[in-house]
Amino acid sequence: MDLLRFATAGSVDDGKSTLIGRLLLDSKAIFEDQLEAVETTSKSRGYDYTDLALLTDGLRSEREQGITIDVAYRYFATPTRKFIIADTPGHVQYTRNMVTGASTADLGLVLVDARQGLTEQSRRHAVILSLLRVPHLVLAVNKMDLVDYDQAVYDRIHEEFTAFATKLNIPDLEIIPISALKGDNVVTRSEHMPWYDGSSLMHHLEHVHVASDRDLVDARFPVQYVVRPKSDEFHDYRGYAGQVAGGVLKPGDDVLVLPSGMTSKIAGIDLFDKEITEAYPPMSVTVRLEDDVDVSRGDMICRPQNAPKPSQDIDAMICWMTNEPLKPRQKLAIKHTTRTGRALIKDIQYRLDVNSLHRDQDTKELALNEIGRVQLRTTVPLLCDPYSKNRTTGSFILIDEATGVTVGAGMINNAS
Amino acid sequence: MTETHADYRLSQLDELEAESIHIFREVAAEFEKPVLMFSGGKDSIVMMRLAEKAFYPAKIPFPVLQVDTGYDFPEVLETRDNWVNRLGVRLIVASVEDAIKNGVVVDDGKTSRNRLQIGTLLNAIEEEGFTAAFGGGRRDEEKARAKERVYSHRDDFGQWDPKMQRPELWSLYNGRIHGGEHMRIFPLSNWTELDIWHYIGREGIEIPNIYFSHRRRVFERDGMLLSESEHNPTKSGETVEERTVRFRTVGDLTLTGCVESEAATIPEIIDEIAIARVTERGATRGDDRFSEAAMEDRKREGYF
Ligand SMILES: Nc1nc2c(ncn2[C@@H]2O[C@H](COP(=O)(O)OP(=O)(O)O)[C@@H](O)[C@H]2O)c(=O)[nH]1
C-alpha cells in the first residue's frame, strides 16, 4: 500500500465538501458518531437529506460562516492506497492556501458545476496547480444529475478545458463526469452515463502512477543533521542525516559535497540500525562518507558530474502571503532545503494574472495572494535546481525577520 | 545489507516514517531546547520510536516530559519507565498534584485532571525554557486538528490562534519564535489511528498492556465504562463488575473509559478498529463529550 497526496479546489457550492464527505464515507473513514452528528444537524436545519458537507468543516468561526478558509487535511484509505487530501478554499482571496495545499500534492482535483461549465475560478485553480507542478490533474464535472447526465454538457466542458490546458504544464489530465450527491462515477461507474468509458474517480485515484514523478536521476541529498554518537560502541561514527531529495544513492558512489567542493565516496547508508543498498526520495537516511571531510547542516551531497551550481542570484515565481505588499529592496529571511540565509528583492519583473495568464509588467509590487516573477540576491549561495526539475531543491520560503511569519513561497526558474 | 524496493516506491508507513524523521531532525537542528511530550499512550510511544530512529546510533538529543495527573494508570507508568531506560533519555515529570500545591493551577473540584494538565504543562515548559515541544496529535483525530500545522506556533501564553497560523509549504518548516514563545511540533500529523497500529505491529514495540483485552473491574457512568479505582469512588446506583475490556486511549483514569473487547493482539485490534463505529475520542474520552467544540477550546488554551 502506498500513499497519494492530493489537493482539492472548487468554487463555493461546486460540491467539494459533498464529494470529500462521500469519499470519506464510502471508504469508511467516517465513524457512526460523526455521521449521527451530521444527520442531527441536517435535520435541525430542515434538510431532507444528510448534508455530507458538514462532515468536513473545521474550526468554529468557519462553521459559523459556513465556508472553508484554510487548508484542512483529511485522510482515508482503500485496500490499495492511503490518501491525504489537502482540502483548500477556492476563492481568489485564499490563493495562498491553495498554493500551500498544492505544494505537497501529487494530484490536483478541480471541481466544476456542470450547469455553469468552466469559470474564471476553475481556470485559476488549474493555473495554480500547474505552477506548483502538481503532475496529475483531474477535472471533476459535478452535478451531472442536474443536467440529466447529458453527454453534450460534458463534451463541451471537456473540449474547452483541454484547449485551455495546452497553455499550462499539465503532464496528465483526466476529466470525469460525476454526481457527488448521488454518487455517480465517484466510487463505482455510473449507470446513468453509459457514454462515459473512463474510470470512476476513486478508481483513478487508486491507480494513478505517482512513483515515477520523482526525480530518480539527479542525486540530491541536503544534509539536515550530523549524527555523532560519541559513545564507546560507535566511537568514530559520523553520519549525515537527511531526506533524499533526488536520485538514487548507493554505497560506493563518488560524491561531491557542496558548497565546499570536496569529493569522497559513500561508505554506507543507514536506515536506523540497518545498512541499505540504495536510498531514493523521499527516504530519510543517514549517509556515511569514506573520507573525513567537513560536512555540516545546509550542505548538499550530490554527484561530481551532476551537481547544482551554487548561486546567489535567483529568478523565481513568488506567491505573496501577507497583507503588507512585497516591494523591491525588501530584505527577508530565506529557507531553502536545510539552508537559511537572507534575501534581497532586486526586482519584481511582472505580476501574473492567474485568471488570464496575462503578465502585468507595470506593477512593481506583489499584494497578498498575488503571484509574480521576482529576482532575488541571497547572502548564502543556494544549492538549487529549477522547480520544474525538482520540487524539493527548487522551492523556498520567505520569512519576515521581525515577525517570524512565513510571507512568501518561491519556485525557482533559474539560478545564475 | 538490506535490499530496498526495486521499484522505488515506498509503502505508506515508510513514507510517513520518513516524513516524521525529517521533522524530528529539523527541530533538533533548529531549536535550542526541544522536549518530547510523553503521555504513555500509543501515539507518544510511536513518537519515541521515530525519535530513536532519527538520531540512531546517537541518543535522542532532548529530554522527555510527562505530565503526571496523579491519576495515571500504573501500567502506563511502567511502560514509560521501560522506554526511558532503554533509550537512556532524561525524564522530566511535571506533576499536577505539585502544580495544585504550588498554586500554579486551581483544583476547584469541578475541573478535570486532563484540563489541569494544561496549566501544569505550560508551567513546566516555561520553567525549563523549552522552545519546542513535540506532541503526538494527529489530524485525523478531530475536526479542529485537521487544519493545524506540523509546526504550531504558541504565543507567550501558550495559546494557539487558528486564524494566525503560518502557511506551511513543501517540507520547509519555519521555526522562528520570539522569546517566551514556543512551538508545538506534531510529527504524526499525517498518521491515522490505523497507521499507528500498523506501525506498532510492524516495529514490535512495547505499549501499555491496557490497550489489549484483559479482565478488569469496571462500572458504568454517563454511558462510559470506567475502571474501579480509589481515585474514582462509585456513586450510588453505580455497580462494579468484572468485564473483558481494553482501552483505546490512555489518560486520566477517572475519565478514560474502556470498551468491551476480546482483541488481545495487534492484528485483532486492527480488525476491531477497521470495523469500529465510534471514533476513539467519542468513545472513551469524557472531556471531549461536553461540546462539539470542546477540543478547539482546549487547544486555544494550550492543550496538547
Ligand atoms: N444535485 C446535486 N447537488 C449537489 C451535488 N454536489 C453538491 N451538491 C449540492 O450543492 C450544494 C453545495 O455543495 P457543497 O458540497 O457544500 O459545496 P462546496 O461549497 O463546494 O463545498 C449543496 O446543497 C449540495 O447538496 C451533486 O452532484 N448534485
Side-chain angles (χ1 to χ4, degrees), chain A residues 11-18 49 53 142-143 145-146 178-182:
Chain A
S11 311
V12 178
D13 286 341
D14 283 348
K16 184 161 61 77
S17 314
T18 307
Y49 59 95
N142 189 31
K143 308 198 185 181
D145 56 308
L146 296 181
I178 65 166
S179 166
L181 193 69
K182 304 271 161 80

Side-chain angles (χ1 to χ4, degrees), chain A residues 9-22 47 49-54 56 66-68 87 111 113 115 141-147 149 178-184 186:
Chain A
S11 311
V12 178
D13 286 341
D14 283 348
K16 184 161 61 77
S17 314
T18 307
L19 177 63
I20 293 174
R22 177 160 294 283
Y47 303 156
Y49 59 95
T50 302
D51 188 0
L52 295 179
L54 291 171
T56 57
I67 49 160
T68 317
D87 180 8
L111 258 84
D113 184 327
R115 295 169 303 176
V141 181
N142 189 31
K143 308 198 185 181
M144 285 301 291
D145 56 308
L146 296 181
V147 295
Y149 301 104
I178 65 166
S179 166
L181 193 69
K182 304 271 161 80
D184 298 273
V186 176

